[in-house]
Amino acid sequence: MQFGTNILVKEIAKFKKQYPNTNFELELGIPPKLLKKVSENQLHFAFVDNGDHFTEQYPVMLENIWSEQFILVGSKKYYNKNIKGDHSFKQIIECNFLSYVNHGPVLKMWFKHHFKKSPTQFKIGLVVENVHGIINGIQADLGLGVVPDYLVEPRIKEGSFIKINVKDKEFKNQLSLVQLPNKKTTLTEKIFLSTIRATLKQS
């Protein structure tokens, strides 16, 4: 949803200046919702994050086109009360978490990436589909959440948010373009998607 509102809307505006007779209908949602609609031919295409985690359930073609760094953060107050500098699996897993969906796939992927194992159980105190809802929940001391680093970097620098560092390479959130295999695309679609690819290569 963050990609849709921050990047796609701007790209659509630029595209319509060059091709004013084109019209768009932009739908925002979590990956399973968008993947289902693409697989049922209700959407021409979609952009989803962590698509490879979900695509086994849907007959779609996936193309990785961009990645962003995802980090686990908590408010200073929550961190000092519950983490206290101990970034071990045992310590972190006892915390409360905020998630985009109720079974916490992004949280599981973060743990798998850093600790080579996924938790079988963890406490999710808030489920909200929007990343800004997650950030607001973190700020309200509700627990830890996985978010794009660039959205919380100013809060980390000022000290109101604390990043949970683990000695490993950073967790990358992969953004993918998904379409139906062998689906014929219009010339307008091809031109628009090529401009998106070009924009993301420069970012």
Side-chain angles (χ1 to χ4, degrees), residues 63-137:
E63 176 192 350
N64 292 332
I65 59 172
W66 192 50
S67 65
E68 58 187 353
Q69 187 169 297
F70 260 31
I71 58 175
L72 182 68
V73 297
S75 68
K76 181 179 180 180
K77 180 178 178 181
Y78 189 87
Y79 179 92
N80 289 339
K81 182 179 179 181
N82 297 277
I83 300 293
K84 303 173 185 176
D86 183 353
H87 295 182
S88 65
F89 181 95
K90 183 179 179 181
Q91 186 75 9
I92 298 171
I93 200 62
E94 292 300 318
C95 293
N96 290 318
F97 294 92
L98 298 87
S99 177
Y100 302 98
V101 290
N102 56 16
H103 56 290
V106 176
L107 290 165
K108 290 177 182 176
M109 284 186 275
W110 185 91
F111 276 99
K112 183 71 177 292
H113 177 82
H114 288 292
F115 295 104
K116 313 306 178 192
K117 58 180 178 179
S118 297
T120 54
Q121 291 184 341
F122 49 90
K123 296 172 283 189
I124 297 179
L126 174 66
V127 175
V128 54
E129 292 184 354
N130 184 278
V131 66
H132 291 293
I134 296 287
I135 292 172
N136 289 338

Coordinates of all heavy atoms in Angstrom, one line a residue, residues 63-137:
E63 N 7.7 -11.2 -11.2 CA 9.0 -10.6 -11.7 C 9.4 -9.6 -10.6 O 8.8 -8.6 -10.3 CB 8.7 -9.8 -13.0 CG 10.0 -9.0 -13.4 CD 9.7 -8.0 -14.5 OE1 8.5 -8.1 -15.1 OE2 10.5 -7.2 -14.9
N64 N 10.6 -9.9 -10.0 CA 11.1 -9.1 -8.9 C 11.7 -7.8 -9.6 O 12.5 -7.9 -10.5 CB 12.2 -9.8 -8.1 CG 11.7 -10.9 -7.3 OD1 10.5 -10.9 -6.9 ND2 12.5 -11.9 -7.1
I65 N 11.2 -6.6 -9.1 CA 11.6 -5.4 -9.8 C 12.2 -4.4 -8.8 O 12.8 -3.4 -9.3 CB 10.4 -4.7 -10.5 CG1 9.3 -4.4 -9.5 CG2 9.9 -5.6 -11.6 CD1 8.2 -3.6 -10.2
W66 N 12.1 -4.6 -7.5 CA 12.7 -3.6 -6.6 C 12.8 -4.2 -5.2 O 12.1 -5.2 -4.9 CB 11.7 -2.4 -6.5 CG 12.2 -1.1 -5.8 CD1 13.4 -0.5 -6.1 CD2 11.5 -0.4 -4.8 NE1 13.5 0.6 -5.3 CE2 12.4 0.7 -4.5 CE3 10.3 -0.5 -4.2 CZ2 12.0 1.7 -3.6 CZ3 9.9 0.5 -3.3 CH2 10.8 1.6 -3.0
S67 N 13.6 -3.7 -4.4 CA 13.7 -4.1 -3.0 C 14.0 -3.0 -2.1 O 14.6 -1.9 -2.4 CB 14.9 -5.2 -2.8 OG 16.1 -4.6 -3.1
E68 N 13.5 -3.1 -0.8 CA 13.7 -2.1 0.2 C 14.1 -2.8 1.5 O 13.7 -3.9 1.7 CB 12.4 -1.2 0.4 CG 11.2 -2.0 0.8 CD 9.9 -1.2 0.8 OE1 10.0 0.1 0.6 OE2 8.8 -1.7 1.0
Q69 N 14.7 -2.0 2.3 CA 15.2 -2.6 3.6 C 14.1 -2.6 4.6 O 13.6 -1.5 4.9 CB 16.5 -1.9 4.0 CG 17.2 -2.5 5.2 CD 18.5 -1.8 5.5 OE1 19.4 -1.9 4.6 NE2 18.7 -1.2 6.6
F70 N 13.9 -3.7 5.2 CA 12.9 -3.8 6.3 C 13.6 -4.0 7.6 O 14.5 -4.9 7.7 CB 11.9 -5.0 6.1 CG 10.6 -4.6 5.5 CD1 10.5 -3.5 4.7 CD2 9.4 -5.3 5.7 CE1 9.3 -3.1 4.1 CE2 8.2 -4.9 5.2 CZ 8.1 -3.8 4.4
I71 N 13.2 -3.3 8.7 CA 13.8 -3.4 10.0 C 12.8 -3.6 11.1 O 11.6 -3.3 10.9 CB 14.7 -2.2 10.3 CG1 13.8 -0.9 10.3 CG2 15.9 -2.1 9.3 CD1 14.6 0.3 10.7
L72 N 13.2 -4.2 12.2 CA 12.3 -4.4 13.3 C 12.6 -3.3 14.3 O 13.8 -3.1 14.7 CB 12.6 -5.8 14.0 CG 11.7 -6.1 15.2 CD1 10.3 -6.4 14.8 CD2 12.3 -7.4 15.9
V73 N 11.6 -2.6 14.7 CA 11.8 -1.4 15.6 C 10.8 -1.4 16.7 O 9.7 -2.0 16.6 CB 11.7 -0.1 14.9 CG1 12.9 0.1 13.9 CG2 10.4 0.1 14.2
G74 N 11.1 -0.7 17.8 CA 10.2 -0.5 18.9 C 10.3 0.9 19.4 O 11.4 1.6 19.1
S75 N 9.4 1.4 20.1 CA 9.6 2.7 20.7 C 10.6 2.7 21.8 O 10.9 1.6 22.3 CB 8.2 3.2 21.4 OG 7.9 2.4 22.5
K76 N 11.2 3.8 22.2 CA 12.3 3.8 23.2 C 11.7 3.3 24.5 O 12.4 2.5 25.2 CB 12.8 5.3 23.4 CG 13.9 5.4 24.4 CD 14.3 6.9 24.5 CE 15.5 7.0 25.5 NZ 15.9 8.4 25.6
K77 N 10.5 3.7 24.9 CA 9.9 3.2 26.1 C 9.7 1.7 26.1 O 10.1 1.0 27.1 CB 8.6 3.9 26.4 CG 7.9 3.5 27.7 CD 6.6 4.3 27.8 CE 5.8 3.9 29.1 NZ 4.6 4.6 29.2
Y78 N 9.2 1.2 25.0 CA 8.9 -0.3 25.0 C 10.2 -1.0 25.0 O 10.4 -2.1 25.6 CB 8.1 -0.6 23.7 CG 7.6 -2.1 23.8 CD1 6.4 -2.4 24.4 CD2 8.4 -3.1 23.2 CE1 6.0 -3.7 24.4 CE2 8.0 -4.4 23.2 CZ 6.8 -4.7 23.9 OH 6.4 -6.0 23.9
Y79 N 11.2 -0.5 24.2 CA 12.5 -1.2 24.1 C 13.2 -1.3 25.5 O 13.7 -2.3 25.9 CB 13.4 -0.4 23.1 CG 14.8 -1.0 22.9 CD1 15.1 -1.9 22.0 CD2 15.8 -0.6 23.8 CE1 16.3 -2.4 21.8 CE2 17.1 -1.1 23.6 CZ 17.4 -2.0 22.6 OH 18.6 -2.5 22.5
N80 N 13.2 -0.1 26.2 CA 13.9 -0.1 27.5 C 13.3 -1.0 28.5 O 13.9 -1.5 29.4 CB 14.0 1.3 28.0 CG 14.9 2.2 27.2 OD1 15.8 1.7 26.5 ND2 14.8 3.5 27.2
K81 N 12.0 -1.2 28.4 CA 11.2 -2.1 29.3 C 11.4 -3.5 29.0 O 11.4 -4.4 29.9 CB 9.8 -1.6 29.3 CG 8.9 -2.4 30.4 CD 7.5 -1.9 30.4 CE 6.7 -2.8 31.3 NZ 5.2 -2.3 31.3
N82 N 11.4 -3.9 27.7 CA 11.3 -5.3 27.3 C 12.5 -5.9 26.6 O 12.7 -7.1 26.6 CB 10.1 -5.4 26.3 CG 8.8 -5.1 27.0 OD1 8.2 -5.9 27.6 ND2 8.3 -3.8 26.8
I83 N 13.4 -5.1 26.0 CA 14.5 -5.6 25.3 C 15.8 -5.4 26.1 O 16.6 -6.3 26.3 CB 14.7 -5.0 23.9 CG1 13.4 -5.2 23.0 CG2 15.9 -5.5 23.2 CD1 13.3 -6.7 22.7
K84 N 16.0 -4.2 26.5 CA 17.1 -3.8 27.4 C 18.5 -4.2 26.8 O 19.4 -4.7 27.5 CB 17.0 -4.4 28.8 CG 15.7 -4.1 29.5 CD 15.5 -4.9 30.8 CE 14.1 -4.6 31.4 NZ 13.9 -5.4 32.6
G85 N 18.6 -4.1 25.5 CA 19.9 -4.3 24.9 C 20.1 -5.8 24.5 O 21.1 -6.2 23.9
D86 N 19.2 -6.7 24.9 CA 19.4 -8.1 24.6 C 18.6 -8.5 23.3 O 17.4 -8.5 23.3 CB 18.8 -8.9 25.8 CG 19.0 -10.5 25.6 OD1 19.4 -10.9 24.5 OD2 18.7 -11.2 26.5
H87 N 19.4 -8.7 22.2 CA 18.8 -8.9 20.9 C 18.8 -10.4 20.6 O 18.9 -10.7 19.4 CB 19.5 -8.1 19.9 CG 19.4 -6.6 20.0 ND1 19.9 -5.7 19.2 CD2 18.7 -5.9 21.0 CE1 19.6 -4.4 19.6 NE2 18.9 -4.5 20.7
S88 N 18.7 -11.2 21.5 CA 18.7 -12.7 21.3 C 17.3 -13.1 20.9 O 16.3 -12.4 21.1 CB 19.1 -13.4 22.6 OG 18.1 -13.2 23.6
F89 N 17.2 -14.2 20.2 CA 15.9 -14.8 19.8 C 15.0 -14.9 21.0 O 13.8 -14.6 21.0 CB 16.1 -16.1 19.1 CG 14.8 -16.8 18.6 CD1 14.4 -16.6 17.3 CD2 14.0 -17.5 19.5 CE1 13.2 -17.2 16.9 CE2 12.8 -18.1 19.0 CZ 12.4 -17.9 17.7
K90 N 15.5 -15.5 22.1 CA 14.7 -15.7 23.3 C 14.1 -14.5 23.9 O 13.0 -14.5 24.4 CB 15.6 -16.4 24.4 CG 14.9 -16.8 25.6 CD 15.9 -17.5 26.6 CE 15.2 -17.9 27.9 NZ 16.1 -18.5 28.9
Q91 N 14.9 -13.4 23.9 CA 14.4 -12.1 24.4 C 13.4 -11.5 23.5 O 12.3 -11.0 24.0 CB 15.6 -11.2 24.7 CG 15.2 -9.9 25.4 CD 15.0 -10.1 26.9 OE1 15.3 -11.1 27.4 NE2 14.5 -9.0 27.5
I92 N 13.6 -11.4 22.2 CA 12.8 -10.7 21.3 C 11.4 -11.4 21.2 O 10.4 -10.8 21.1 CB 13.4 -10.6 19.9 CG1 14.7 -9.8 20.0 CG2 12.5 -10.0 18.9 CD1 15.5 -9.8 18.7
I93 N 11.4 -12.8 21.2 CA 10.2 -13.5 20.9 C 9.2 -13.3 22.0 O 8.0 -13.6 21.9 CB 10.5 -15.0 20.7 CG1 9.3 -15.7 20.0 CG2 10.8 -15.7 22.0 CD1 9.1 -15.2 18.6
E94 N 9.6 -12.9 23.2 CA 8.7 -12.7 24.3 C 7.9 -11.3 24.2 O 7.1 -11.1 25.0 CB 9.5 -12.7 25.7 CG 10.0 -14.1 26.0 CD 8.9 -15.1 26.1 OE1 7.8 -14.8 26.7 OE2 9.1 -16.3 25.6
C95 N 8.3 -10.5 23.3 CA 7.7 -9.2 23.1 C 6.3 -9.3 22.4 O 5.9 -10.3 21.9 CB 8.6 -8.3 22.3 SG 10.1 -7.9 23.1
N96 N 5.6 -8.2 22.5 CA 4.3 -8.1 21.7 C 4.7 -7.5 20.3 O 5.7 -6.8 20.2 CB 3.4 -7.1 22.4 CG 2.8 -7.7 23.7 OD1 2.4 -8.8 23.7 ND2 2.7 -6.8 24.7
F97 N 3.9 -7.9 19.3 CA 4.2 -7.5 17.9 C 3.0 -6.9 17.3 O 1.9 -7.2 17.6 CB 4.7 -8.7 17.1 CG 6.0 -9.3 17.6 CD1 6.1 -10.3 18.5 CD2 7.2 -8.8 17.1 CE1 7.3 -10.9 18.9 CE2 8.4 -9.3 17.5 CZ 8.5 -10.4 18.5
L98 N 3.3 -6.1 16.2 CA 2.3 -5.5 15.4 C 2.5 -6.1 14.0 O 3.6 -6.2 13.5 CB 2.4 -4.0 15.3 CG 2.3 -3.2 16.6 CD1 3.6 -3.2 17.4 CD2 1.7 -1.9 16.4
S99 N 1.4 -6.5 13.4 CA 1.5 -7.2 12.1 C 0.5 -6.7 11.1 O -0.5 -6.2 11.4 CB 1.3 -8.7 12.3 OG 1.3 -9.4 11.1
Y100 N 0.8 -6.9 9.8 CA -0.1 -6.5 8.7 C -1.2 -7.5 8.5 O -2.3 -7.1 8.0 CB 0.7 -6.3 7.4 CG 1.9 -5.4 7.5 CD1 3.2 -5.8 7.8 CD2 1.7 -4.0 7.4 CE1 4.2 -4.9 7.9 CE2 2.7 -3.1 7.6 CZ 4.0 -3.5 7.8 OH 5.0 -2.6 7.9
V101 N -1.0 -8.7 8.8 CA -2.0 -9.7 8.8 C -1.9 -10.6 10.1 O -0.8 -10.6 10.7 CB -2.0 -10.6 7.5 CG1 -2.4 -9.8 6.3 CG2 -0.6 -11.2 7.4
N102 N -3.0 -11.3 10.4 CA -3.0 -12.0 11.7 C -2.0 -13.1 12.0 O -1.7 -13.4 13.1 CB -4.4 -12.5 12.0 CG -5.0 -13.4 11.0 OD1 -4.2 -14.0 10.2 ND2 -6.3 -13.6 11.0
H103 N -1.5 -13.7 10.9 CA -0.5 -14.8 11.1 C 0.9 -14.3 11.0 O 1.8 -15.1 11.1 CB -0.8 -16.0 10.2 CG -0.8 -15.6 8.7 ND1 -1.8 -14.9 8.1 CD2 0.1 -15.9 7.8 CE1 -1.5 -14.7 6.9 NE2 -0.4 -15.4 6.6
G104 N 1.1 -13.1 10.8 CA 2.5 -12.5 10.8 C 3.5 -13.0 9.9 O 4.7 -13.3 10.3
P105 N 3.3 -13.1 8.6 CA 4.3 -13.7 7.7 C 5.5 -12.9 7.6 O 6.6 -13.4 7.5 CB 3.5 -13.8 6.3 CG 2.4 -12.8 6.4 CD 2.0 -12.8 7.9
V106 N 5.4 -11.5 7.6 CA 6.6 -10.7 7.5 C 7.5 -10.8 8.8 O 8.7 -10.9 8.7 CB 6.2 -9.2 7.3 CG1 7.5 -8.3 7.3 CG2 5.5 -9.1 5.9
L107 N 6.8 -11.0 9.9 CA 7.6 -11.2 11.2 C 8.3 -12.5 11.1 O 9.5 -12.6 11.5 CB 6.6 -11.2 12.3 CG 6.0 -9.8 12.7 CD1 4.8 -10.0 13.6 CD2 7.0 -8.9 13.3
K108 N 7.6 -13.5 10.6 CA 8.2 -14.9 10.5 C 9.5 -14.8 9.6 O 10.5 -15.4 9.8 CB 7.2 -15.9 10.0 CG 6.1 -16.2 11.0 CD 5.1 -17.2 10.4 CE 4.0 -17.5 11.4 NZ 3.0 -18.4 10.8
M109 N 9.3 -14.1 8.5 CA 10.4 -14.0 7.5 C 11.6 -13.2 8.1 O 12.8 -13.5 7.9 CB 10.0 -13.3 6.2 CG 9.1 -14.2 5.3 SD 8.7 -13.4 3.8 CE 7.3 -12.5 4.2
W110 N 11.3 -12.2 9.0 CA 12.4 -11.5 9.6 C 13.2 -12.4 10.6 O 14.4 -12.4 10.6 CB 11.8 -10.3 10.4 CG 12.9 -9.4 11.0 CD1 13.5 -8.3 10.5 CD2 13.5 -9.6 12.3 NE1 14.4 -7.8 11.3 CE2 14.4 -8.5 12.5 CE3 13.3 -10.5 13.4 CZ2 15.2 -8.4 13.6 CZ3 14.1 -10.4 14.5 CH2 15.0 -9.3 14.6
F111 N 12.4 -13.2 11.4 CA 13.1 -14.1 12.3 C 13.9 -15.2 11.5 O 15.0 -15.5 11.9 CB 12.1 -14.8 13.2 CG 11.7 -14.0 14.4 CD1 10.5 -13.2 14.4 CD2 12.5 -14.0 15.5 CE1 10.2 -12.5 15.6 CE2 12.2 -13.3 16.7 CZ 11.0 -12.5 16.7
K112 N 13.3 -15.7 10.4 CA 14.0 -16.7 9.6 C 15.2 -16.2 9.0 O 16.3 -16.9 9.0 CB 13.0 -17.2 8.5 CG 13.6 -18.3 7.7 CD 13.6 -19.6 8.4 CE 14.1 -20.8 7.6 NZ 13.1 -21.2 6.5
H113 N 15.2 -14.9 8.6 CA 16.4 -14.3 8.0 C 17.5 -14.1 9.0 O 18.7 -14.4 8.7 CB 16.0 -12.9 7.4 CG 17.1 -12.2 6.8 ND1 17.6 -12.4 5.5 CD2 17.9 -11.2 7.3 CE1 18.6 -11.6 5.3 NE2 18.8 -10.9 6.3
H114 N 17.2 -13.7 10.2 CA 18.2 -13.3 11.2 C 18.6 -14.5 12.1 O 19.8 -14.6 12.5 CB 17.8 -12.1 12.0 CG 17.8 -10.8 11.3 ND1 18.9 -10.2 10.9 CD2 16.7 -10.0 10.9 CE1 18.6 -9.1 10.2 NE2 17.3 -8.9 10.2
F115 N 17.7 -15.4 12.4 CA 18.0 -16.5 13.3 C 17.9 -17.9 12.7 O 18.0 -18.8 13.4 CB 17.0 -16.4 14.5 CG 17.2 -15.1 15.3 CD1 16.3 -14.1 15.2 CD2 18.3 -15.0 16.2 CE1 16.4 -12.9 16.0 CE2 18.4 -13.9 17.0 CZ 17.5 -12.8 16.9
K116 N 17.6 -17.9 11.4 CA 17.5 -19.2 10.7 C 16.4 -20.1 11.2 O 16.4 -21.3 10.9 CB 18.9 -19.9 10.7 CG 20.1 -19.1 10.4 CD 20.0 -18.4 9.1 CE 21.2 -17.5 8.9 NZ 21.1 -16.6 7.7
K117 N 15.5 -19.5 11.9 CA 14.3 -20.3 12.3 C 13.1 -19.3 12.5 O 13.3 -18.2 12.8 CB 14.6 -21.0 13.6 CG 15.0 -20.1 14.8 CD 15.2 -21.0 16.0 CE 15.7 -20.1 17.2 NZ 15.9 -20.9 18.4
S118 N 11.9 -19.9 12.2 CA 10.7 -19.1 12.4 C 10.0 -19.4 13.7 O 10.0 -20.6 14.0 CB 9.8 -19.3 11.2 OG 10.3 -18.9 10.0
P119 N 9.5 -18.5 14.4 CA 8.7 -18.8 15.6 C 7.5 -19.5 15.3 O 6.8 -19.3 14.3 CB 8.5 -17.4 16.2 CG 8.5 -16.5 15.0 CD 9.5 -17.0 14.1
T120 N 7.1 -20.5 16.2 CA 5.9 -21.2 16.0 C 4.7 -20.4 16.7 O 3.6 -20.5 16.3 CB 6.0 -22.6 16.6 OG1 6.4 -22.5 18.0 CG2 7.0 -23.5 15.9
Q121 N 5.1 -19.7 17.7 CA 4.1 -18.9 18.4 C 4.7 -17.5 18.8 O 5.8 -17.4 19.2 CB 3.6 -19.5 19.6 CG 2.7 -20.8 19.4 CD 2.2 -21.4 20.7 OE1 2.7 -21.1 21.8 NE2 1.2 -22.2 20.6
F122 N 3.9 -16.5 18.6 CA 4.3 -15.2 19.1 C 3.1 -14.3 19.3 O 2.0 -14.6 18.8 CB 5.4 -14.4 18.2 CG 5.0 -14.4 16.8 CD1 4.3 -13.3 16.2 CD2 5.4 -15.4 15.9 CE1 4.0 -13.3 14.9 CE2 5.1 -15.3 14.6 CZ 4.4 -14.3 14.1
K123 N 3.2 -13.3 20.1 CA 2.1 -12.5 20.5 C 1.9 -11.3 19.6 O 2.7 -10.4 19.6 CB 2.3 -12.0 22.0 CG 2.3 -13.1 23.0 CD 2.7 -12.6 24.4 CE 4.2 -12.4 24.5 NZ 4.7 -12.1 25.8
I124 N 0.8 -11.3 18.9 CA 0.5 -10.2 18.0 C -0.7 -9.4 18.7 O -1.8 -9.9 18.8 CB 0.0 -10.7 16.6 CG1 1.2 -11.4 15.9 CG2 -0.4 -9.5 15.7 CD1 0.9 -11.9 14.5
G125 N -0.3 -8.2 19.1 CA -1.3 -7.4 19.8 C -2.1 -6.5 19.0 O -3.2 -6.0 19.4
L126 N -1.6 -6.2 17.7 CA -2.4 -5.4 16.8 C -2.1 -5.8 15.4 O -1.0 -6.0 15.0 CB -1.9 -3.9 17.0 CG -2.5 -2.9 16.0 CD1 -4.0 -2.7 16.2 CD2 -1.8 -1.5 16.1
V127 N -3.2 -6.0 14.6 CA -3.2 -6.2 13.2 C -3.7 -5.1 12.5 O -4.9 -4.7 12.7 CB -3.9 -7.5 12.9 CG1 -4.0 -7.7 11.3 CG2 -3.3 -8.7 13.5
V128 N -2.9 -4.5 11.6 CA -3.4 -3.4 10.8 C -2.7 -3.4 9.4 O -1.5 -3.6 9.3 CB -3.1 -2.0 11.5 CG1 -1.7 -1.8 11.8 CG2 -3.6 -0.8 10.6
E129 N -3.5 -3.3 8.3 CA -3.0 -3.5 7.0 C -2.1 -2.4 6.5 O -1.2 -2.5 5.7 CB -4.1 -3.6 6.0 CG -4.9 -4.9 6.1 CD -6.0 -5.1 5.1 OE1 -6.2 -4.1 4.3 OE2 -6.6 -6.1 5.0
N130 N -2.2 -1.2 7.1 CA -1.5 0.0 6.6 C -0.2 0.2 7.4 O -0.2 0.1 8.7 CB -2.4 1.2 6.8 CG -1.7 2.5 6.2 OD1 -1.0 3.1 6.9 ND2 -2.1 2.8 5.0
V131 N 0.9 0.5 6.7 CA 2.2 0.6 7.4 C 2.2 1.8 8.4 O 2.9 1.8 9.4 CB 3.4 0.8 6.4 CG1 3.2 2.1 5.6 CG2 4.7 0.7 7.0
H132 N 1.5 2.9 8.1 CA 1.4 4.0 9.0 C 0.7 3.6 10.3 O 1.0 4.2 11.3 CB 0.8 5.2 8.3 CG 1.7 5.8 7.2 ND1 2.9 6.4 7.5 CD2 1.5 5.8 5.9 CE1 3.4 6.8 6.3 NE2 2.6 6.4 5.4
G133 N -0.3 2.7 10.1 CA -0.9 2.2 11.3 C 0.0 1.4 12.2 O 0.0 1.5 13.5
I134 N 0.9 0.6 11.6 CA 1.9 -0.1 12.3 C 2.9 0.9 13.0 O 3.2 0.7 14.2 CB 2.8 -1.0 11.4 CG1 1.9 -2.1 10.8 CG2 3.9 -1.6 12.1 CD1 1.5 -3.2 11.7
I135 N 3.3 1.9 12.3 CA 4.2 2.9 12.9 C 3.6 3.6 14.1 O 4.2 3.9 15.1 CB 4.7 3.9 11.8 CG1 5.6 3.2 10.8 CG2 5.4 5.1 12.4 CD1 6.0 4.0 9.6
N136 N 2.3 4.0 13.9 CA 1.6 4.7 15.0 C 1.4 3.8 16.2 O 1.5 4.2 17.3 CB 0.2 5.2 14.5 CG 0.3 6.3 13.6 OD1 1.3 7.0 13.5 ND2 -0.7 6.5 12.7
G137 N 1.2 2.5 15.9 CA 1.1 1.5 17.0 C 2.5 1.3 17.8 O 2.5 1.2 19.0

